[in-house]
Amino acid sequence: MFAIPLAWLQLTYQKGRLAIAIAGIMFAVILIAMQLGFQEALFKSAVLLHLNLRSDLVLIHPSSNNLLNLRQFSRRRLHQAAGFTGVKSVYPVYVGLAVWNATELGVKEDILAIGVSPQANPFLFPNIKPDLDKTLLPDVVLFDRGSREDFYGSVAAEYEAAIAQGKILTKEVANRTIRIGGIFTMGVSFAANGTLITSEQNFLRIFPDRPVGNISLGLIQLENGANAIAVREAMRSQLDHDVKILTRQEFIDLELNYWSEATPIGFIFGLGVTMGFIVGVVIVYQVLYKDVSDHLAEYATLKAMGYSNFYLFSLILQESLLLSLCGFVPALLTCAILYKLTESATGLLMELNSDRILQLLFLTITMCVISGTLSLRKVQTADPAEIFE
């Protein structure tokens, strides 16, 4: 019953060593947290558009594997899909990268352009329909408020100022003058630093070489109660194999798998987490090993008095658990600040939610327990007869 106070007394006996240990654990936890936060934020950003599309099934070209590599396929396949039982509506979508000329910044940057039918409105963005109707007018587009200002300028603020003054805000895309007809909010992603939405006709004005009959995505919304898997299988058995039919989740997973497996990004973040974990194990092990070495005579005395190795092991493990908690709490507070700063600087959504906190706590405790377990060997070999010769 006195093990925990004893473990705490041993840790606080040399306060300088305790401070170094806490700082080391904080560093490891912050490194792991930032790697996990960046990874989740980047992967979430990659599917922001996917999550805001009104669809139960998606048609894509068989060679398409991510949003930046959406090959075109015949729009006729989407019309054929509309005839299947259970299908409520279909939405053709054009996707492409156009050059945005930010003359005020002297910067030219690719921007993701999306062309849709305004009447159909395949988006889940709130309150977008009135502004989307404006894109029926020639060269009118909607601009994403979450786009990077250092690439595209303060378009949202300029638009609001222009509206207040009764003026029209114009910009240049693909060497064509366009008008900003409204603002929506999505955010930056792997695919692009900014996004604009317009009508099919305006999209084809921006991309004059794109065939009208070829689309990038075919979105399919099903009737209430329709089984997406059953409809998907029926389409796969009857439609030509020049299209791939996916459920909404499969479409999302396709994007995530591309960035995590087909690019070095997943490996890099995984390596960062692993290195942070190893750094933490090494730091805590060195502190505990030094503590055990300094108190080896006391441990030998306890063994001579009849205390078992298990008791001594539990004492050191309790030290490691206390260390993990002492380092985890300030590290968590620091991470909360760093997440906010990173979100403000990059526009990526960094969330320190309950799942992330529990994940970090588990990794921190595991890290310290491993270190404590490694340092137990010194206690196990402590022989009272040899120490007190």
Side-chain angles (χ1 to χ4, degrees), residues 73-389:
F73 63 93
S74 175
R75 188 169 179 159
R76 288 178 298 174
R77 297 289 173 258
L78 187 60
H79 294 318
Q80 291 171 347
F84 281 78
T85 302
V87 173
K88 178 181 179 181
S89 54
V90 296
Y91 312 105
V93 180
Y94 297 85
V95 178
L97 286 176
V99 177
W100 176 282
N101 185 10
T103 53
E104 69 277 16
L105 301 176
V107 175
K108 290 186 176 181
E109 176 69 14
D110 284 343
I111 189 167
L112 187 68
I114 303 170
V116 299
S117 169
Q119 296 94 331
N121 182 20
F123 298 110
L124 297 174
F125 299 117
N127 305 319
I128 195 176
K129 186 61 169 69
D131 285 338
L132 194 59
D133 288 339
K134 298 176 186 177
T135 64
L136 291 169
L137 298 174
D139 298 316
V140 174
V141 305
L142 309 184
F143 186 83
D144 177 17
R145 185 189 299 274
S147 301
R148 294 279 298 273
E149 290 189 8
D150 47 342
F151 290 134
Y152 309 105
S154 305
V155 177
E158 291 178 37
Y159 171 74
E160 291 169 356
I163 290 296
Q165 299 170 17
K167 297 180 180 179
I168 296 175
L169 178 62
T170 61
K171 294 292 179 178
E172 183 179 318
V173 175
N175 297 319
R176 187 179 186 89
T177 299
I178 60 165
R179 293 182 292 163
I180 306 299
I183 301 294
F184 69 99
T185 302
M186 185 172 72
V188 297
S189 69
F190 272 140
N193 290 310
T195 306
L196 60 83
I197 294 174
T198 190
S199 65
E200 297 172 318
Q201 292 78 13
N202 286 330
F203 180 92
L204 295 171
R205 290 187 178 101
I206 296 172
F207 299 90
D209 296 331
R210 288 283 294 265
V212 178
N214 288 352
I215 59 176
S216 306
L217 292 173
L219 307 181
I220 302 171
Q221 187 175 13
L222 301 180
E223 299 280 358
N224 291 335
N227 187 299
I229 301 298
V231 177
R232 181 197 66 184
E233 293 306 312
M235 290 182 180
R236 285 180 176 178
S237 65
Q238 298 182 46
L239 291 181
D240 288 345
H241 297 297
D242 56 354
V243 291
K244 182 187 290 186
I245 303 137
L246 305 173
T247 64
R248 185 171 186 266
Q249 188 58 51
E250 288 171 341
F251 181 49
I252 293 171
D253 292 341
L254 181 73
E255 188 79 25
L256 293 176
N257 290 339
Y258 173 79
W259 292 108
S260 63
E261 298 176 7
T263 69
I265 293 173
F267 173 78
I268 290 171
F269 284 122
L271 180 63
V273 171
T274 303
M275 293 303 297
F277 188 85
I278 292 174
V279 166
V281 169
V282 171
I283 291 174
V284 178
Y285 169 74
Q286 289 178 333
V287 171
L288 291 177
Y289 184 84
K290 180 63 176 174
D291 182 75
V292 170
S293 299
D294 289 349
H295 297 88
L296 197 58
E298 287 86 343
Y299 285 119
T301 301
L302 289 173
K303 291 181 70 173
M305 292 172 61
Y307 285 93
S308 64
N309 278 333
F310 177 78
Y311 174 82
L312 301 179
F313 293 168
S314 66
L315 183 63
I316 295 175
L317 288 177
Q318 287 166 17
E319 283 189 51
S320 66
L321 289 173
L322 288 171
L323 270 178
S324 67
L325 294 176
C326 288
F328 176 76
V329 174
L332 191 64
L333 296 175
T334 305
C335 287
I337 297 172
L338 291 176
Y339 270 37
K340 289 297 183 183
L341 291 175
T342 304
E343 184 175 334
S344 176
T346 65
L348 296 172
L349 183 60
M350 302 280 286
E351 291 184 298
L352 193 61
N353 51 33
S354 57
D355 290 340
R356 174 57 42 77
I357 292 173
L358 290 175
Q359 183 183 23
L360 289 173
L361 179 60
F362 173 77
L363 289 173
T364 306
I365 292 175
T366 304
M367 177 176 66
C368 293
V369 168
I370 291 174
S371 303
T373 303
L374 293 174
S375 64
L376 293 178
R377 292 175 300 172
K378 190 72 174 178
V379 176
Q380 192 173 17
T381 58
D383 188 342
E386 295 179 0
I387 293 175
F388 296 112
E389 280 186 327

